[in-house]
């Protein structure tokens, strides 16, 4: 069985998230979406992505704060801010 790599895309700009996810899907990835830092942390807990692409400046919990929480959950998970 050939499982797709799961990429979590996090940004408060919904159009950017949709565009990046569409591109990732065309390239053969499984793209997951989140629009806040809190949602990103929850998606890491529940969906176990293989990597995260995240904006630093998002409302509520910043990308940096979300990164800290994500690293507590999954220390080896690659995160690109």
């Amino acid at each position: 069985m050939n499982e797709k790599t799961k990429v979590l895309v996090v940004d408060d700009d919904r159009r950017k998230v949709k565009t990046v996810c569409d591109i990732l899907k065309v390239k053969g990835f499984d793209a997951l979406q989140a629009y806040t830092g809190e949602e990103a942390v929850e998606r890491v807990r529940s969906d176990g992505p293989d990597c995260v692409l995240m904006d630093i400046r998002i409302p509520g919990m910043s990308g940096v704060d979300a990164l800290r929480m994500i690293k507590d959950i999954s220390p080896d998970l690659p995160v690109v801010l």
Side-chain angles (χ1 to χ4, degrees), residues 1 4 6 16-17 19 21 26 42 57 68 70 73:
M1 186 161 92
K4 292 181 178 183
K6 285 192 258 183
K16 280 185 192 174
V17 171
T19 299
C21 286
V26 166
E42 185 53 40
R57 294 185 181 144
R68 289 185 183 116
I70 288 168
I73 297 165

Side-chain angles (χ1 to χ4, degrees), residues 4-7 9 17-33 35 43:
K4 292 181 178 183
T5 300
K6 285 192 258 183
V7 180
V9 180
V17 171
K18 181 179 180 339
T19 299
V20 171
C21 286
D22 288 347
I23 292 167
L24 288 169
K25 288 176 185 174
V26 166
K27 296 294 184 180
F29 295 92
D30 184 10
L32 309 171
Q33 303 173 351
Y35 305 106
R43 295 295 304 251

